[in-house]
Amino acid sequence: MINKNFNQIIIGKICAPYGILGWNKMFSFTENKKSIFTYNPLFYSKKNIIYVLKIIQWKIIKNYFLIKIKNVNNRNTAYLFQNIDIFIYSKQIKKKKNEYLWNEIISCKIFNINKNFLGKVINIIRTYSNDILVIKKNDYTKEILIPFVKNIIIKKVNVKKKIMLVDWRE
C-alpha cells in the first residue's frame, strides 16, 4: 500500500492493546514478517503529523507480534495506537537490479509481445510457486490472471514508465 503524496509504503498495522502493561498487537505486511523490524526508522501518522515509531521490545504470538512502544506503559495509552498504519519511505528499501516492489507494479499497463494492450495491473496475488498479476482492461471486462514468471512470461518491466511486456494471449 502506498500514499503517493509522501511516497510512503505501509508495511504493518498496530492493532488492539494486549494486557494492562501497554503492549499492542501488530501485523506485518512484509514478505518475511520479522523483516519489519529491520527498517529503521518506522513511522506512523496521527492527525496529519508524522512521528517516528519507537518499538523497544517485541514478541511473536501466533500470526502476529506483540510490541512495546516507548513511553506506553498502560492499556489506556496503548489504545491511542490502535488501528495505526506503520510505514516507511520508499527510499529506505534497498533493491537489487531488476527487482520490483508490488506497489511499483500496480497500475502498470500490460502489453503482449504483439503490442496489444491487455489492461492494467490492479492487484498481485501471492502463491506458493509465483506471484500472479491481476489485469483488468476497464470496469466492464473480466480480469486476466498472468503468472509473474520473469523471462518466460514477463519479458520486460519498466516501472518508471509503468509499462510491462508479456508473452501472453487473451
Side-chain angles (χ1 to χ4, degrees):
M1 293 184 258
I2 186 166
N3 178 335
K4 295 187 192 255
N5 297 333
F6 299 109
N7 210 19
Q8 300 168 349
I9 301 173
I10 297 172
I11 62 170
K13 187 172 196 77
I14 303 172
C15 302
Y18 182 89
I20 61 170
L21 299 176
W23 289 80
N24 284 83
K25 292 180 182 179
M26 183 197 77
F27 288 97
S28 171
F29 304 148
T30 58
E31 185 173 0
N32 174 349
K33 301 301 178 195
K34 287 183 189 177
S35 70
I36 191 170
F37 300 107
T38 64
Y39 294 104
N40 192 11
L42 295 170
F43 299 94
Y44 69 97
S45 175
K46 272 188 134 178
K47 297 183 181 177
N48 294 324
I49 299 172
I50 296 171
Y51 300 94
V52 173
L53 177 65
K54 295 181 181 174
I55 298 173
I56 58 173
Q57 198 174 354
W58 60 273
K59 303 174 188 179
I60 300 173
I61 304 289
K62 298 180 184 171
N63 62 342
Y64 61 89
F65 295 97
L66 290 181
I67 60 169
K68 183 81 165 106
I69 300 168
K70 186 176 182 178
N71 298 323
V72 176
N73 298 312
N74 59 59
R75 189 171 181 86
N76 290 337
T77 308
Y79 266 116
L80 300 174
F81 288 88
Q82 186 169 312
N83 295 320
I84 297 287
D85 289 328
I86 300 169
F87 67 88
I88 59 173
Y89 290 95
S90 59
K91 65 184 177 185
Q92 290 177 258
I93 297 174
K94 293 168 183 68
K95 294 185 297 183
K96 297 174 187 166
K97 188 177 181 178
N98 295 324
E99 195 173 55
Y100 319 104
L101 301 176
W102 280 16
N103 68 314
E104 293 175 314
I105 293 173
I106 298 290
S107 79
C108 276
K109 294 178 182 175
I110 305 296
F111 294 90
N112 67 14
I113 55 176
N114 297 327
K115 299 182 181 169
N116 295 324
F117 176 66
L118 300 178
K120 282 187 177 182
V121 179
I122 61 166
N123 196 8
I124 301 171
I125 301 169
R126 165 126 357 274
T127 67
Y128 182 73
S129 56
N130 53 267
D131 297 336
I132 306 289
L133 300 176
V134 181
I135 314 298
K136 200 160 191 180
K137 197 176 256 183
N138 58 45
D139 292 338
Y140 307 107
T141 59
K142 64 182 178 179
E143 295 173 348
I144 302 169
L145 303 178
I146 300 176
F148 195 96
V149 181
K150 286 184 183 178
N151 302 324
I152 296 170
I153 297 173
I154 307 299
K155 296 299 186 181
K156 189 172 183 182
V157 178
N158 186 329
V159 292
K160 288 182 181 165
K161 292 184 179 181
K162 300 294 267 183
I163 295 173
M164 295 176 71
L165 183 64
V166 298
D167 188 356
W168 196 260
R169 294 186 196 141
E170 276 189 273

